């Protein structure tokens, strides 16, 4: 029995050995077939250049090594271009999966690797971690981290013969975050501009900004929500928020990706310009073009202030009017350029104004004498209330000086305040101040502007008097706080034109067209 088992065991060993030997012979044969596809002399030129790079690096300091990295990259690109010309007959059709692996095992000896592109096209390139391994011990920390990022990403990418190197949206997100972190960590790196441009390209890829490609909006939306939750402070979260504002999430089929691409691409170009992260740290959320207009605004202010020092009052008066017109044009451009951002970016998740964000933005704008203020919907950019008064008060005539002083004390955005219940004393004081100005300077060149402001005050002060509740109180012989306010006004300012209008209403409130009559008097 033992003899039989020994014979069987010998047979098994022989068979297994024969199979393994056959497989090895077969593998060696395939290996030789693959090796013959490559020009060893050409491949060795790349390895030889690497040896020369390593020898040179030993003689350089870190900044010199940075520069040498860039030159070496250029040199290697030339070498690889020549290698690929000599191997232009290579095709994915030449390779099974096994042969592909054999080829890469062979090429790795030269720090090279096969990459599949598309349509069976194949090229030879550096190994994924080539530059990191070669330069990491010699370059500065920013270059080292950059090379590590690229190396890790290439290692994760699928370069197989069955792939066109497509990566998942989550991997694209990882690449965006890696670059944002780099830009934040190394804002002054020589690589910053390049990293910035690459980051924007990945943002475009992430949002599928391809006019001729219709993405799976519903599926992608899950990834965007994941990103927003995981990276709430990422600038890309802001971009996603704007994208989702434009995206029709109720009926995905109604989305036009060509239109979305144009809108979002414009937003990226406006607000994700080179250096935008530094500006965000300062609190500046305005676009690239608007920032150039800020500098123009500042330059004109400085030039105007200088010329004023040697001007007569008449010249200063004219300068104010011209300067105001020029500034209005600039601010109109900025508000028009950034209207979308101003409509939503300064609100928090609950839909309320983000006070800290607004404060930081206005601290930045204070350098220009500007501020963002909330209006009926969204925000707008305007001069600070005392902007013109501070510049012109020592140079203009008395009426101009007083006009600018009153204007600097004016309440914010009077047109949005129509309640005497909330602001009776403010409206009253403003109204009387402008009445007095018009009496004091009846021939002022600023009469039209002053009268316009006065009319706003007068309308806002009298408008609550025209309400149905006041009419009902008068009909029933009753009084209330509002009527008391108007009666006090009549006593304090018996000669005011506004008093005449209030009296007219109190005497004729029963008239059916009384509201129209009062509005006509106001006009």
């Amino acid at each position: 029995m033992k003899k039989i088992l020994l014979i069987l065991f010998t047979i098994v060993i022989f068979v297994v050995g024969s199979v393994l030997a056959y497989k090895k012979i077969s593998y060696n044969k395939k290996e030789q077939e693959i090796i013959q596809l490559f020009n060893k002399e050409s491949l060795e030129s790349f390895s030889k250049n690497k040896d020369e790079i390593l020898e040179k690096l030993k003689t350089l300091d870190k900044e010199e090594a940075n520069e040498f990295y860039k030159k070496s990259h250029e040199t290697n690109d030339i070498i690889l271009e020549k290698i690929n010309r000599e191997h232009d007959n290579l095709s994915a059709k030449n390779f099974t999966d096994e042969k592909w692996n054999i080829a890469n095992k062979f090429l790795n000896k030269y720090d090279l690797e096969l990459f599949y592109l598309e349509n069976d096209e194949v090229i030879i390139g550096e190994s994924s971690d080539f530059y990191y391994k070669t330069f990491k011990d010699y370059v500065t920390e920013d270059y080292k981290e950059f090379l590590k990022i690229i190396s890790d990403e290439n290692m994760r990418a699928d370069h197989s013969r069955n792939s066109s190197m497509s990566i998942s949206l989550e991997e694209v997100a990882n690449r965006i975050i890696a670059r944002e972190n780099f830009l934040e960590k190394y804002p002054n790196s020589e690589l910053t501009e390049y990293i910035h441009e690459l980051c924007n390209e990945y943002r475009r890829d992430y949002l599928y900004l391809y006019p001729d490609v219709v993405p799976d909006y519903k599926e992608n939306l899950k990834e965007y929500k994941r990103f927003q939750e995981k990276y709430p402070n990422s600038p890309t979260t802001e971009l996603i928020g704007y994208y989702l504002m434009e995206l029709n999430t109720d009926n995905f089929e109604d989305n036009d990706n060509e239109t979305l691409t144009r809108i979002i691409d414009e937003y990226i170009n406006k607000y994700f310009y080179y250096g935008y992260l530094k500006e965000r740290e300062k609190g500046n959320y305005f676009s690239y073009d608007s920032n150039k207009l800020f500098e123009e605004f500042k330059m004109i202010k400085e030039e105007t202030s200088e010329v004023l020092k040697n001007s007569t009052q008449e010249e200063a008066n004219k300068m104010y009017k011209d300067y105001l017109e020029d500034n209005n044009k600039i601010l109109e451009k900025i508000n028009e350029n950034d209207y979308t951002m101003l409509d939503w970016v300064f609100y928090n998740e609950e839909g309320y104004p983000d006070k800290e964000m607004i404060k930081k933005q206005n601290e930045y704008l204070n350098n220009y004498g500007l501020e963002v203020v909330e209006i009926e919907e969204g925000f707008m950019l305007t001069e600070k209330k005392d902007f013109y008064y501070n510049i012109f008060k020592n140079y203009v005539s008395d009426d101009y000086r007083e006009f600018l002083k009153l204007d600097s004390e004016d309440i914010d955005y009077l047109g949005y305040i129509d309640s005497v219940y909330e602001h009776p004393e403010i409206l009253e004081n403003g109204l009387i101040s402008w009445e007095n100005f018009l009496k004091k300077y009846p021939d002022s060149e600023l009469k039209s502007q002053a009268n316009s402001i006065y009319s706003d005050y007068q309308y806002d002060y009298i408008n609550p008097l025209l309400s149905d509740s006041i009419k009902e109180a008068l009909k029933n012989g009753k009084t209330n706080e509002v009527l008391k306010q108007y009666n006090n006004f009549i006593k304090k300012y018996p000669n005011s034109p506004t008093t005449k209008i209030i009296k007219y209403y109190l005497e004729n409130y029963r008239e059916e067209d009384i509201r129209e009559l009062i509005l006509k008097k106001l006009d």
Side-chain angles (χ1 to χ4, degrees), residues 476-504:
N476 295 324
K478 297 180 179 179
T479 189
N480 56 31
E481 290 301 316
V482 179
L483 283 171
K484 286 179 183 178
Q485 171 69 28
Y486 289 118
N487 286 325
N488 288 335
F489 185 93
I490 292 171
K491 291 177 184 177
K492 287 168 68 176
Y493 309 107
N495 298 319
S496 166
T498 305
T499 293
K500 293 179 183 179
I501 297 175
I502 294 171
K503 283 183 174 180
Y504 182 86

Side-chain angles (χ1 to χ4, degrees), residues 413-441:
Y413 307 103
L414 189 59
Y416 298 104
I417 299 174
D418 59 3
S419 175
V420 74
Y421 298 99
E422 296 178 18
H423 305 282
E425 70 292 337
I426 297 176
L427 289 171
E428 181 182 302
N429 293 339
L431 173 66
I432 294 303
S433 294
W434 287 105
E435 275 188 7
N436 291 338
F437 177 87
L438 290 166
K439 287 178 186 176
K440 188 175 180 180
Y441 302 107

Side-chain angles (χ1 to χ4, degrees), residues 44 49 88 174 309 354 359 472 508 516 519:
E44 284 170 356
N49 188 58
D88 61 357
N174 291 339
K309 294 175 182 178
D354 188 325
K359 179 183 176 184
E472 283 300 312
N508 299 280
E516 286 72 25
L519 292 176

Side-chain angles (χ1 to χ4, degrees), residues 144-331:
K144 180 179 179 179
E145 188 159 332
F146 163 71
L147 294 174
K148 179 63 174 170
I149 290 170
I150 301 301
S151 171
D152 289 346
E153 289 173 353
N154 285 338
M155 296 290 279
R156 289 198 300 271
D158 184 2
H159 299 301
S160 73
R161 63 182 295 274
N162 298 314
S163 164
S164 58
M165 222 180 84
S166 60
I167 57 177
S168 68
L169 275 188
E170 187 169 349
E171 173 60 22
V172 178
N174 291 339
R175 296 187 177 198
I176 291 170
I177 292 299
R179 279 151 185 77
E180 286 183 354
N181 290 340
F182 181 93
L183 292 170
E184 190 171 348
K185 188 174 180 180
Y186 301 106
N188 300 316
S189 171
E190 294 176 349
L191 296 164
T192 299
E193 186 170 3
Y194 170 71
I195 297 285
H196 161 75
E197 293 298 333
L198 199 54
C199 191
N200 274 347
E201 286 307 309
Y202 277 125
R203 286 175 178 135
R204 291 181 176 93
D205 291 343
Y206 190 58
L207 295 174
Y208 266 84
L209 300 187
Y210 313 117
D212 55 344
V213 176
V214 179
D216 186 339
Y217 295 111
K218 186 175 181 180
E219 193 61 32
N220 291 358
L221 190 57
K222 297 176 185 176
E223 165 58 22
Y224 301 150
K225 295 292 185 185
R226 181 200 69 84
F227 188 102
Q228 288 179 311
E229 290 175 7
K230 187 171 182 179
Y231 307 108
N233 298 320
S234 165
T236 304
T237 292
E238 173 199 323
L239 178 63
I240 293 170
Y242 180 64
Y243 174 80
L244 296 181
M245 283 173 57
E246 298 294 333
L247 187 70
N248 186 339
T249 54
D250 295 323
N251 296 293
F252 290 110
E253 62 275 8
D254 291 342
N255 288 294
D256 181 347
N257 206 51
E258 184 172 354
T259 302
L260 276 171
T261 294
R262 177 180 54 78
I263 293 172
I264 305 304
D265 203 51
E266 286 177 1
Y267 194 84
I268 290 174
N269 291 335
K270 270 187 177 183
Y271 298 105
F272 291 78
Y273 53 89
Y274 175 56
Y276 77 99
L277 278 178
K278 284 185 179 179
E279 295 303 310
R280 294 292 174 86
E281 288 178 9
K282 300 174 188 175
N284 176 22
Y285 279 80
F286 281 83
S287 64
Y288 179 76
D289 288 340
S290 290
N291 275 279
K292 289 195 292 185
L293 289 169
F294 286 149
E295 291 305 311
E296 181 181 345
F297 185 90
K298 184 178 180 180
M299 181 187 69
I300 295 174
K301 177 188 174 183
E302 291 170 351
E303 290 175 351
T304 301
S305 298
E306 195 62 32
V307 174
L308 275 172
K309 294 175 182 178
N310 300 307
S311 300
T312 64
Q313 287 188 341
E314 290 72 20
E315 290 171 338
N317 291 350
K318 185 178 185 307
M319 282 181 66
Y320 161 71
K321 297 178 82 171
D322 293 341
Y323 182 49
L324 179 66
E325 185 177 345
D326 289 341
N327 281 352
N328 285 341
K329 289 178 182 177
I330 292 175
L331 295 178

Side-chain angles (χ1 to χ4, degrees), residues 369-385:
L370 299 169
E371 62 180 338
V372 291
V373 294
E374 189 176 15
I375 53 177
E376 194 170 27
E377 291 183 4
F379 286 78
M380 69 177 287
L381 177 74
T382 186
E383 307 96 331
K384 295 176 75 70
K385 297 301 293 182

